[in-house]
């Protein structure tokens, strides 16, 4: 489902954030990406989202080599990949509903369909009753769940998360993790970057560890 | 409404997530449905863009006023030219010769001469204006009534106003007639009142060129004003643009609200320009009617017609779209999620 072949990534500054990384994440798998701050976790996720292009090697997502995706096709590629970020990137000029609806509006769905899917997604993250609220009135954990609802509302086959629990206390973090596991159980491939080892070590998923841009461990 | 739905998928197919997605999106969104939601989305974005402008009424009003004034200048000049053209339409054949008679010529002789002139083949009509009539007319038109009333003697000569016959081939025939008239012994001075009509036409041609030059210059100004306003709007909505790009918004999707915003700025500016012109015409109509009355004319100012009005509005909207397009092309690509 996600495959990296000898991928290196050098930023314009000259810093090599990834060095010859090779990995495979299978369909329906849930995997953790760990490593110290600055190890290259976010960079790896950005390559999958085509927010950056590798300097070397190739990235294959859903059987498609990302090299072959032209600039104006990037948008369509991103619709197949849901993303959740630490700074949840919600828009505070509109309601929770409208935030979650955005990917569907972009994809050109009809209003009835949008309403149905947004409510289903909000229901899954337990925030159905907040649909009319402005996300700024929600707690950090709730905002993160709105971000997750937005990431899954378009039923992407892949879900990426970059430090999704970074700002949350352990209790909330565990709940968020359970949410990702639920999506994984219904067939979504999940790749989750986190430096919080204590949190992910307890969960039974493959761990990919980066150190200074190199993949040092790929173990179960 | 025809809805083409794909048949329900088999249970086996449903297990594969990828297929499920594609199947779902194909069966639920037919081509027609897609077009419909695209149109609906456009209408919605257009409405939202307008609402956004109305939410900051002062700032929007200022922009509309700036654009309005810029468009009102060439459009106003154009309307004025149209009025002058209409006023002068009857003047093509209006070349007339004023024949000032010598003081010694008596009124009877003058009237006799007028009759004779009127019979000429190259003369359409001839009208005698006695010295007294000339004075009265001059008094009523000039406002020098009292000054003239104080004079012991009427300083004005009698005159015959001669209209040449053929209005199409004016120049030659009139010239010949003028030569003949000048040779007459009773005539002190024969003056052709055509030159100023020709001058007027030359000036109107110049005016039309000026309208074009002014319009292009100010259109450029409008483009820049709208471009700059849209640049600020893009800057203000940076976060939103990033999120949209991140969740798979195409360039067209990102551009659309800004293009509509530009269109509203342009259209609003054009309507403002139109209102400015209507107001000015209204303000001028009373004095113009008074002036026309003095010349026994039914002339009244004419505003921009339907075609010109629509043309102005459409031009404004297109300028807005173009200005926004320029700004969007320059600034949107720079905003990419990092
Ligand atoms: N846009 C960028 N330009 C230059 N260097 C960057 C950029 N983004 C990240 N880096 C560098 O690349 C390295 C890896 O960063 P990142 O992928 O964000 O690590 P992590 O997510 O594991 O903390 C860091 O040293 C960071 O400073
Ligand atoms: Mg990071």
């Amino acid at each position: 489902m996600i495959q990296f072949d000898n991928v290196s990534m050098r930023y314009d500054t000259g810093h090599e954030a990834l060095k010859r990384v090779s990995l495979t994440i299978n369909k329906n798998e849930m995997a953790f990406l760990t490593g110290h701050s600055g190890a290259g976790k976010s960079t790896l996720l950005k390559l999958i989202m085509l927010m950056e292009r590798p300097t070397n090697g190739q990235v294959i997502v859903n059987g498609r080599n990302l090299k072959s995706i032209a600039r104006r096709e990037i948008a369509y590629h991103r619709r197949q990949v849901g993303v959740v970020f630490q700074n949840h990137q919600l828009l505070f000029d509109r309601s929770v509903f409208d935030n979650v609806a955005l990917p569907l509006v972009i994809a050109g769905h009809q209003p009835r369909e949008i309403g149905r899917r947004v409510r289903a997604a909000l229901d899954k993250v337990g925030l159905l009753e907040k649909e009319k609220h402005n996300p700024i009135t929600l707690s950090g954990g709730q905002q993160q769940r709105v971000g997750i609802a937005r990431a899954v509302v378009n039923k992407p086959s892949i879900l990426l998360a970059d430090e999704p629990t970074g700002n949350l206390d352990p209790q909330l973090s565990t709940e968020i993790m359970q949410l990702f596991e639920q999506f994984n159980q219904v067939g979504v491939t999940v790749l989750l970057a986190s430096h919080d080892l204590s949190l992910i070590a307890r969960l039974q998923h493959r761990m990919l560890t980066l150190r200074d841009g190199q993949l040092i461990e790929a173990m179960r | 409404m025809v809805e083409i739905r794909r048949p329900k998928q088999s249970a086996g197919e449903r297990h594969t997530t990828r297929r499920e997605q594609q199947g779902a999106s194909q069966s639920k969104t037919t081509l027609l449905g897609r077009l419909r939601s695209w149109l609906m989305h456009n209408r919605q974005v257009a409405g939202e863009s307008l609402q956004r402008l109305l939410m900051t009424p002062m700032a929007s009003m200022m922009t509309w006023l700036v654009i309005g004034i810029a468009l009102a200048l060439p459009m106003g000049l154009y309307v004025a030219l149209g009025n002058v053209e209409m006023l002068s339409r009857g003047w093509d054949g209006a070349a007339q010769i004023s024949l000032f008679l010598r003081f010694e010529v008596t009124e009877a002789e003058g009237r006799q001469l007028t009759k004779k002139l009127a019979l000429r083949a190259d003369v359409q009509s001839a009208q005698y204006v006695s010295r007294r009539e000339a004075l009265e007319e001059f008094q009523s038109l000039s406002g020098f009534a009292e000054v003239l009333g104080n004079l012991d003697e009427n300083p004005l000569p009698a005159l015959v106003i001669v209209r040449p016959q053929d209005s199409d081939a004016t120049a030659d025939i009139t010239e010949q007639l003028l030569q003949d008239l000048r040779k007459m012994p009773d005539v002190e001075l024969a003056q052709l009142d055509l030159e100023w009509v020709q001058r007027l036409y030359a000036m109107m041609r110049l005016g039309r060129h000026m309208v074009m030059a002014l319009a292009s210059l100010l259109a450029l100004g409008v483009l820049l004003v709208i471009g700059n306003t849209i640049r600020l709007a893009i800057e203000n909505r940076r976060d939103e643009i990033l999120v949209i790009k991140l969740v798979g918004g195409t360039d067209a999707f990102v551009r659309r609200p800004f293009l509509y915003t530009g269109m509203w700025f342009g259209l609003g500016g054009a309507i403002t320009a139109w209102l400015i012109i209507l107001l000015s015409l209204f303000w001028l109509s009373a004095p113009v009617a008074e002036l026309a009355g003095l010349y026994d004319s039914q002339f009244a100012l004419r505003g921009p017609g339907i075609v010109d009005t629509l043309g102005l509005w459409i031009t404004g909207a297109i300028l807005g779209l173009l200005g926004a397009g320029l700004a969007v092309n320059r600034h949107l690509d720079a905003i990419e999620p990092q």
Side-chain angles (χ1 to χ4, degrees), chain A residues 28 46 49 51-52 62 71 75-76 78-80 83 85 89 91 93-94 102-103 105-111 113 116 150 154-157 186-187, chain B residues 3 17-18 20-21 24-25 28-30 33-34 36-37 40-41 52 237 239-240 242-251 253 333 336-338:
Chain A
N28 298 354
K46 282 188 211 167
M49 286 301 286
M51 289 157 74
E52 300 286 354
N62 276 337
R71 199 193 160 280
Y76 300 100
R78 286 183 184 159
R79 290 179 195 179
Q80 301 175 22
V83 275
F85 283 105
Q89 308 212 14
L91 299 172
D93 63 350
R94 60 196 75 188
L102 194 57
V105 174
I106 285 170
H109 290 280
Q110 289 174 39
E113 173 78 0
R116 199 180 60 73
R150 189 183 66 195
N154 207 12
K155 298 187 187 163
S157 49
V186 297
Chain B
E3 284 257 359
T17 46
R18 183 88 200 284
E20 180 184 343
Q21 258 183 53
S25 59
K28 300 242 167 59
T29 42
T30 60
R34 251 175 200 285
R36 206 153 23 127
S37 61
M40 191 144 59
H41 175 246
R52 230 172 240 272
R237 295 174 71 179
D239 289 347
E240 186 182 348
L242 288 177
V243 171
I244 288 173
K245 285 194 173 182
L246 198 62
V247 298
T250 55
D251 287 352
F253 186 93
D333 283 353
E336 280 294 336
Q338 287 294 313

Coordinates of all heavy atoms in Angstrom, one line a residue, chain A residues 28 46 49 51-52 62 71 75-76 78-80 83 85 89 91 93-94 102-103 105-111 113 116 150 154-157 186-187, chain B residues 3 17-18 20-21 24-25 28-30 33-34 36-37 40-41 52 237 239-240 242-251 253 333 336-338:
Chain A
N28 N -4.3 -2.4 5.0 CA -5.0 -2.7 6.3 C -4.0 -2.8 7.5 O -4.5 -3.2 8.5 CB -5.8 -4.0 6.2 CG -6.8 -3.9 5.2 OD1 -7.1 -2.9 4.5 ND2 -7.5 -5.0 4.9
K46 N 5.3 13.8 4.7 CA 5.1 14.8 3.7 C 5.4 14.2 2.3 O 4.8 14.6 1.3 CB 6.1 16.0 3.9 CG 5.7 16.9 5.0 CD 6.6 18.1 5.0 CE 6.8 18.7 6.4 NZ 7.9 19.7 6.4
M49 N 2.3 12.6 1.1 CA 1.3 13.6 0.8 C 1.7 14.4 -0.4 O 0.9 15.3 -0.9 CB 1.1 14.5 1.9 CG 0.3 13.9 3.1 SD -1.3 13.4 2.5 CE -2.2 14.9 2.3
M51 N 3.8 16.7 -0.4 CA 4.1 18.1 0.1 C 5.5 18.3 -0.2 O 6.0 19.5 -0.3 CB 3.8 18.2 1.6 CG 2.3 18.3 1.9 SD 1.9 17.8 3.6 CE 2.4 19.2 4.4
E52 N 6.3 17.3 -0.3 CA 7.7 17.4 -0.8 C 7.9 16.2 -1.8 O 7.2 15.3 -1.8 CB 8.6 17.2 0.4 CG 8.5 18.2 1.5 CD 9.1 19.6 1.2 OE1 9.7 19.7 0.1 OE2 8.9 20.5 2.0
N62 N -0.6 3.2 -3.0 CA -1.7 2.6 -3.8 C -1.3 2.1 -5.1 O -2.1 2.2 -6.1 CB -2.9 3.6 -3.9 CG -3.8 3.6 -2.7 OD1 -3.8 2.7 -1.9 ND2 -4.4 4.7 -2.5
R71 N 2.0 17.9 -11.1 CA 1.6 18.9 -10.1 C 0.1 19.1 -10.0 O -0.4 19.1 -8.9 CB 2.2 20.3 -10.5 CG 2.3 21.2 -9.3 CD 2.6 22.7 -9.7 NE 2.2 23.6 -8.7 CZ 0.9 24.0 -8.5 NH1 0.0 23.5 -9.3 NH2 0.6 24.8 -7.5
A75 N -3.7 17.2 -6.1 CA -5.0 17.3 -5.4 C -5.7 16.0 -5.3 O -6.2 15.6 -4.3 CB -5.8 18.4 -6.0
Y76 N -5.8 15.3 -6.5 CA -6.6 14.1 -6.5 C -5.9 13.0 -5.7 O -6.5 12.1 -5.1 CB -6.8 13.7 -8.0 CG -7.5 14.7 -8.7 CD1 -6.9 15.6 -9.6 CD2 -8.9 14.9 -8.6 CE1 -7.5 16.7 -10.2 CE2 -9.6 15.9 -9.3 CZ -8.9 16.8 -10.1 OH -9.6 17.8 -10.7
R78 N -4.2 13.5 -3.0 CA -4.4 13.8 -1.6 C -5.7 13.4 -1.1 O -5.9 13.2 0.1 CB -4.1 15.3 -1.3 CG -2.7 15.7 -1.4 CD -2.4 17.1 -1.1 NE -1.0 17.5 -1.3 CZ -0.6 18.7 -1.4 NH1 -1.4 19.7 -1.5 NH2 0.7 18.9 -1.6
R79 N -6.7 13.3 -2.0 CA -8.0 12.9 -1.6 C -8.1 11.5 -1.2 O -9.0 11.0 -0.5 CB -9.0 13.1 -2.8 CG -9.3 14.6 -3.0 CD -10.2 14.8 -4.2 NE -10.1 16.2 -4.6 CZ -10.8 16.7 -5.7 NH1 -11.7 15.9 -6.3 NH2 -10.7 17.9 -6.0
Q80 N -7.1 10.7 -1.6 CA -7.1 9.3 -1.2 C -6.4 9.1 0.2 O -6.3 8.0 0.7 CB -6.3 8.4 -2.2 CG -6.9 8.5 -3.6 CD -6.1 7.8 -4.6 OE1 -5.3 6.9 -4.2 NE2 -6.2 8.1 -5.9
V83 N -5.2 13.0 6.4 CA -4.1 13.4 7.3 C -4.6 14.1 8.6 O -5.5 14.9 8.5 CB -3.1 14.4 6.6 CG1 -2.1 13.7 5.8 CG2 -3.8 15.4 5.8
F85 N -2.9 16.3 11.8 CA -1.7 17.0 12.3 C -1.8 17.4 13.7 O -2.9 17.5 14.3 CB -1.4 18.2 11.4 CG -0.8 17.9 10.1 CD1 -1.5 18.0 9.0 CD2 0.5 17.4 10.0 CE1 -1.0 17.6 7.7 CE2 1.1 17.1 8.8 CZ 0.3 17.2 7.7
Q89 N -5.0 22.2 12.5 CA -5.4 23.0 11.2 C -6.9 23.0 11.0 O -7.3 22.9 9.8 CB -4.7 22.3 10.0 CG -3.2 22.1 10.3 CD -2.4 22.3 9.0 OE1 -2.9 22.7 8.0 NE2 -1.1 21.9 9.1
L91 N -10.3 25.3 10.8 CA -10.6 26.7 10.5 C -11.6 27.3 11.5 O -12.7 26.7 11.6 CB -11.2 26.8 9.0 CG -10.2 26.3 8.0 CD1 -10.9 26.2 6.6 CD2 -9.0 27.2 7.9
D93 N -13.3 30.0 11.3 CA -14.3 31.0 10.8 C -15.5 30.2 10.4 O -16.4 30.8 9.8 CB -13.7 31.8 9.7 CG -13.4 30.9 8.5 OD1 -13.4 29.6 8.7 OD2 -13.1 31.4 7.4
R94 N -15.6 28.9 10.8 CA -16.8 28.1 10.4 C -17.0 27.0 11.4 O -16.2 26.7 12.3 CB -16.6 27.6 9.0 CG -15.4 26.7 8.9 CD -15.0 26.4 7.5 NE -14.4 27.6 6.9 CZ -14.1 27.7 5.6 NH1 -14.4 26.8 4.8 NH2 -13.5 28.8 5.2
L102 N -15.4 20.0 4.5 CA -14.6 20.6 3.5 C -14.1 19.6 2.4 O -14.2 19.8 1.2 CB -13.4 21.3 4.2 CG -12.6 22.2 3.3 CD1 -13.4 23.3 2.6 CD2 -11.5 22.9 4.1
P103 N -13.5 18.4 2.8 CA -13.0 17.5 1.8 C -14.1 17.0 0.8 O -13.9 16.8 -0.4 CB -12.5 16.3 2.6 CG -12.2 16.8 3.9 CD -13.2 17.9 4.2
V105 N -16.9 18.8 0.1 CA -17.3 19.9 -0.8 C -16.3 20.0 -1.9 O -16.6 20.2 -3.1 CB -17.3 21.2 0.0 CG1 -17.5 22.4 -0.9 CG2 -18.4 21.2 1.1
I106 N -15.0 19.8 -1.6 CA -13.9 19.9 -2.6 C -14.1 18.8 -3.6 O -13.9 19.0 -4.8 CB -12.6 19.7 -1.9 CG1 -12.2 21.1 -1.2 CG2 -11.5 19.3 -2.9 CD1 -11.0 21.0 -0.3
A107 N -14.5 17.6 -3.1 CA -14.7 16.5 -4.1 C -16.0 16.6 -4.9 O -16.2 15.8 -5.8 CB -14.6 15.2 -3.3
G108 N -16.8 17.6 -4.6 CA -18.0 17.9 -5.4 C -19.2 17.0 -5.0 O -19.9 16.6 -5.9
H109 N -19.3 16.6 -3.8 CA -20.5 15.8 -3.4 C -21.7 16.6 -3.3 O -21.6 17.8 -3.1 CB -20.2 15.0 -2.1 CG -19.2 13.9 -2.3 ND1 -19.5 12.7 -2.9 CD2 -17.9 13.9 -2.0 CE1 -18.4 11.9 -2.9 NE2 -17.4 12.6 -2.4
Q110 N -22.9 16.0 -3.3 CA -24.1 16.7 -3.2 C -24.4 16.9 -1.7 O -24.1 16.1 -0.9 CB -25.2 16.0 -3.9 CG -25.0 16.1 -5.4 CD -26.0 15.3 -6.2 OE1 -27.2 15.2 -5.8 NE2 -25.6 14.7 -7.2
P111 N -25.1 18.0 -1.4 CA -25.4 18.4 0.0 C -26.0 17.3 0.8 O -25.5 17.1 2.0 CB -26.4 19.6 -0.1 CG -26.2 20.1 -1.5 CD -25.7 19.0 -2.4
E113 N -25.7 14.1 0.5 CA -24.6 13.1 0.7 C -23.6 13.7 1.8 O -23.1 13.0 2.6 CB -23.9 12.9 -0.6 CG -22.7 12.0 -0.6 CD -23.0 10.5 -0.4 OE1 -24.2 10.2 -0.4 OE2 -22.1 9.7 -0.4
R116 N -25.0 13.5 5.3 CA -25.0 12.2 5.8 C -23.6 11.7 6.2 O -23.4 11.2 7.3 CB -25.5 11.2 4.7 CG -26.0 9.9 5.2 CD -26.5 9.1 4.0 NE -25.5 8.8 3.0 CZ -24.5 7.9 3.2 NH1 -24.3 7.3 4.3 NH2 -23.6 7.8 2.2
R150 N -12.5 14.9 9.9 CA -12.2 15.5 8.6 C -11.3 14.6 7.8 O -11.5 14.5 6.6 CB -11.6 16.9 8.8 CG -11.5 17.7 7.4 CD -10.8 19.0 7.6 NE -9.4 18.8 7.9 CZ -8.7 19.8 8.3 NH1 -9.2 21.0 8.5 NH2 -7.4 19.6 8.6
N154 N -13.9 11.4 3.9 CA -13.9 11.1 2.5 C -13.6 9.6 2.2 O -13.3 9.2 1.1 CB -13.0 12.0 1.7 CG -13.3 12.2 0.3 OD1 -14.5 11.8 -0.1 ND2 -12.5 12.7 -0.5
K155 N -13.6 8.8 3.3 CA -13.2 7.4 3.3 C -11.9 7.2 2.5 O -11.9 6.4 1.5 CB -14.4 6.6 2.6 CG -15.7 6.7 3.3 CD -16.7 5.8 2.7 CE -18.1 5.9 3.3 NZ -19.1 5.3 2.5
P156 N -10.8 7.8 3.0 CA -9.6 7.5 2.4 C -9.1 6.1 2.7 O -9.5 5.5 3.7 CB -8.6 8.6 3.0 CG -9.2 8.8 4.3 CD -10.7 8.6 4.2
S157 N -8.3 5.6 1.8 CA -7.8 4.2 2.0 C -6.6 4.3 3.0 O -6.2 3.3 3.6 CB -7.4 3.5 0.7 OG -6.6 4.4 0.0
V186 N -11.6 -1.2 10.4 CA -12.6 -1.3 9.3 C -11.9 -1.2 7.9 O -12.5 -0.9 6.9 CB -13.7 -0.2 9.4 CG1 -14.5 -0.4 10.6 CG2 -13.1 1.2 9.4
G187 N -10.5 -1.4 7.9 CA -9.9 -1.5 6.7 C -9.0 -0.3 6.2 O -8.5 -0.3 5.1
Chain B
E3 N -31.6 9.8 -13.4 CA -30.5 9.4 -12.6 C -30.0 8.0 -13.0 O -30.8 7.1 -13.1 CB -31.0 9.3 -11.1 CG -31.2 10.6 -10.4 CD -30.1 10.9 -9.5 OE1 -29.2 10.1 -9.4 OE2 -30.1 12.0 -8.9
T17 N -11.5 -2.2 0.3 CA -11.8 -0.8 0.6 C -11.7 0.1 -0.6 O -12.5 1.0 -0.8 CB -10.8 -0.3 1.7 OG1 -9.5 -0.7 1.3 CG2 -11.2 -0.9 3.0
R18 N -10.7 -0.1 -1.4 CA -10.4 0.7 -2.5 C -11.6 0.7 -3.5 O -12.2 1.7 -3.9 CB -9.2 0.3 -3.3 CG -8.7 1.1 -4.4 CD -7.8 2.3 -4.0 NE -7.8 3.3 -5.0 CZ -7.2 3.2 -6.1 NH1 -6.4 2.2 -6.4 NH2 -7.2 4.2 -7.0
E20 N -14.6 -0.3 -2.9 CA -15.8 0.2 -2.3 C -15.9 1.7 -2.5 O -16.9 2.3 -2.9 CB -15.8 -0.1 -0.8 CG -17.0 0.4 -0.1 CD -17.0 0.2 1.4 OE1 -16.2 -0.6 1.8 OE2 -17.8 0.8 2.1
Q21 N -14.7 2.4 -2.2 CA -14.7 3.8 -2.4 C -15.1 4.3 -3.8 O -16.0 5.1 -4.0 CB -13.3 4.3 -2.2 CG -13.0 4.9 -0.9 CD -11.6 5.4 -1.0 OE1 -11.2 6.1 -1.9 NE2 -10.8 4.9 -0.1
A24 N -18.6 3.5 -4.6 CA -19.5 4.4 -3.9 C -19.6 5.8 -4.7 O -20.7 6.3 -4.9 CB -19.1 4.6 -2.5
S25 N -18.4 6.3 -5.0 CA -18.4 7.6 -5.6 C -19.0 7.6 -7.0 O -19.6 8.5 -7.4 CB -17.0 8.2 -5.6 OG -16.2 7.4 -6.4
K28 N -23.0 7.1 -6.6 CA -23.7 8.2 -6.0 C -23.6 9.5 -6.8 O -24.5 10.4 -6.7 CB -23.2 8.5 -4.6 CG -23.4 7.2 -3.7 CD -24.3 7.5 -2.5 CE -24.7 6.3 -1.8 NZ -23.6 5.5 -1.3
T29 N -22.5 9.7 -7.5 CA -22.3 10.9 -8.3 C -22.3 10.6 -9.8 O -21.2 10.3 -10.3 CB -21.0 11.6 -7.8 OG1 -20.0 10.6 -7.7 CG2 -21.2 12.3 -6.5
T30 N -23.4 10.7 -10.4 CA -23.5 10.6 -11.8 C -22.9 11.8 -12.4 O -22.7 12.8 -11.8 CB -24.9 10.4 -12.3 OG1 -25.6 11.6 -11.8 CG2 -25.6 9.2 -11.6
G33 N -25.2 14.6 -11.9 CA -25.2 15.0 -10.5 C -24.0 15.8 -10.3 O -24.0 16.9 -9.5
R34 N -22.8 15.4 -10.9 CA -21.6 16.2 -10.7 C -21.7 17.6 -11.2 O -21.3 18.6 -10.6 CB -20.5 15.5 -11.5 CG -19.5 14.9 -10.5 CD -18.5 14.0 -11.1 NE -18.0 13.2 -10.1 CZ -17.2 13.6 -9.1 NH1 -16.7 14.8 -9.1 NH2 -16.8 12.7 -8.2
R36 N -24.5 19.2 -11.7 CA -25.4 19.9 -10.8 C -24.7 20.5 -9.6 O -24.9 21.6 -9.2 CB -26.6 19.0 -10.4 CG -27.8 19.8 -10.2 CD -29.1 19.0 -10.4 NE -28.9 17.6 -10.4 CZ -29.6 16.7 -9.6 NH1 -30.5 17.2 -8.8 NH2 -29.4 15.4 -9.6
S37 N -23.9 19.6 -8.9 CA -23.3 20.1 -7.7 C -22.2 21.1 -8.0 O -21.9 22.0 -7.2 CB -22.7 18.9 -6.9 OG -21.8 18.2 -7.6
M40 N -24.1 24.2 -8.4 CA -24.5 24.6 -7.1 C -23.4 25.2 -6.3 O -23.5 26.2 -5.6 CB -25.1 23.5 -6.4 CG -25.9 23.8 -5.1 SD -27.3 22.8 -4.9 CE -26.6 21.2 -4.8
H41 N -22.2 24.5 -6.4 CA -21.0 25.0 -5.7 C -20.6 26.4 -6.1 O -20.3 27.3 -5.4 CB -19.9 24.0 -5.8 CG -18.6 24.5 -5.2 ND1 -17.5 24.8 -6.0 CD2 -18.3 24.7 -3.9 CE1 -16.6 25.3 -5.1 NE2 -17.0 25.2 -3.9
R52 N -19.2 38.0 2.0 CA -17.9 38.4 2.7 C -17.6 39.9 2.4 O -17.2 40.6 3.3 CB -16.8 37.6 2.0 CG -15.9 36.9 3.0 CD -14.9 36.0 2.2 NE -15.1 34.6 2.7 CZ -14.4 34.1 3.7 NH1 -13.6 34.9 4.4 NH2 -14.6 32.9 4.0
R237 N -6.6 34.9 3.9 CA -7.2 33.6 4.0 C -6.2 32.5 3.8 O -6.5 31.4 3.3 CB -8.3 33.5 2.9 CG -9.5 34.4 3.2 CD -10.5 34.4 2.2 NE -11.3 33.2 2.1 CZ -12.3 33.0 1.2 NH1 -12.6 34.0 0.4 NH2 -12.9 31.9 1.2
D239 N -4.6 30.5 5.9 CA -4.8 29.3 6.6 C -5.8 28.4 5.8 O -5.6 27.2 5.7 CB -5.4 29.5 8.0 CG -4.3 30.1 8.9 OD1 -3.1 30.1 8.5 OD2 -4.7 30.6 9.9
E240 N -6.9 29.0 5.4 CA -7.9 28.3 4.7 C -7.3 27.7 3.4 O -7.6 26.5 3.0 CB -9.0 29.3 4.3 CG -10.2 28.6 3.7 CD -11.3 29.6 3.4 OE1 -11.2 30.8 3.9 OE2 -12.2 29.2 2.7
L242 N -4.3 26.8 2.8 CA -3.4 25.7 3.1 C -4.2 24.4 3.4 O -3.9 23.3 2.9 CB -2.6 26.0 4.3 CG -1.5 27.1 4.1 CD1 -0.8 27.4 5.4 CD2 -0.5 26.5 3.1
V243 N -5.3 24.6 4.2 CA -6.1 23.4 4.5 C -6.7 22.8 3.3 O -6.8 21.6 3.1 CB -7.2 23.8 5.6 CG1 -8.1 22.6 5.8 CG2 -6.5 24.1 6.9
I244 N -7.3 23.7 2.5 CA -7.9 23.2 1.2 C -7.0 22.4 0.4 O -7.3 21.4 -0.1 CB -8.5 24.4 0.5 CG1 -9.7 25.0 1.2 CG2 -8.9 24.0 -1.0 CD1 -10.3 26.2 0.6
K245 N -5.7 23.0 0.2 CA -4.8 22.3 -0.6 C -4.4 20.9 0.0 O -4.2 20.0 -0.7 CB -3.5 23.1 -0.8 CG -3.7 24.3 -1.8 CD -2.4 24.9 -2.2 CE -2.7 25.9 -3.3 NZ -1.4 26.6 -3.8
L246 N -4.3 20.9 1.4 CA -3.9 19.7 2.1 C -5.0 18.6 1.9 O -4.6 17.4 1.9 CB -3.7 20.0 3.5 CG -2.9 19.0 4.3 CD1 -1.5 18.9 3.8 CD2 -2.9 19.4 5.8
V247 N -6.3 19.0 1.9 CA -7.3 17.9 1.8 C -7.7 17.7 0.4 O -8.8 17.1 0.1 CB -8.5 18.2 2.7 CG1 -8.0 18.3 4.2 CG2 -9.2 19.5 2.3
G248 N -6.9 18.1 -0.6 CA -7.2 17.7 -2.0 C -7.9 18.7 -2.8 O -8.6 18.3 -3.8
G249 N -7.9 20.0 -2.4 CA -8.5 21.0 -3.3 C -7.7 21.3 -4.5 O -6.5 21.5 -4.4
T250 N -8.3 21.3 -5.7 CA -7.6 21.7 -6.9 C -7.3 23.2 -6.9 O -7.9 23.9 -6.2 CB -8.4 21.3 -8.1 OG1 -9.7 22.0 -8.0 CG2 -8.7 19.8 -8.2
D251 N -6.4 23.5 -7.8 CA -6.2 25.0 -8.0 C -7.4 25.7 -8.3 O -7.7 26.8 -7.9 CB -5.1 25.2 -9.1 CG -3.7 24.7 -8.7 OD1 -3.6 24.5 -7.5 OD2 -2.8 24.7 -9.5
F253 N -10.4 25.1 -7.5 CA -11.3 25.2 -6.3 C -10.7 26.3 -5.4 O -11.5 27.1 -4.9 CB -11.3 23.9 -5.5 CG -12.2 23.9 -4.3 CD1 -13.5 23.4 -4.4 CD2 -11.8 24.4 -3.1 CE1 -14.4 23.4 -3.4 CE2 -12.6 24.4 -2.0 CZ -13.9 23.9 -2.2
D333 N 0.2 30.3 -5.9 CA 1.2 29.2 -6.0 C 2.2 29.2 -4.8 O 2.7 28.2 -4.4 CB 1.9 29.3 -7.3 CG 1.1 28.8 -8.4 OD1 0.0 28.3 -8.1 OD2 1.5 28.9 -9.6
E336 N 1.8 26.9 -0.2 CA 1.8 25.5 -0.2 C 1.9 25.0 1.2 O 2.7 25.5 2.0 CB 2.9 24.9 -1.1 CG 2.6 25.0 -2.6 CD 1.5 24.1 -3.0 OE1 1.2 23.1 -2.3 OE2 0.9 24.3 -4.1
P337 N 1.2 23.9 1.5 CA 1.3 23.4 2.9 C 2.8 22.8 3.1 O 3.3 22.2 2.2 CB 0.3 22.2 2.9 CG -0.1 22.0 1.5 CD 0.2 23.2 0.7
Q338 N 3.3 23.2 4.2 CA 4.7 22.7 4.5 C 4.7 21.7 5.7 O 4.1 22.0 6.7 CB 5.6 23.9 4.9 CG 5.9 24.8 3.8 CD 6.8 24.1 2.8 OE1 7.8 23.5 3.1 NE2 6.5 24.2 1.5

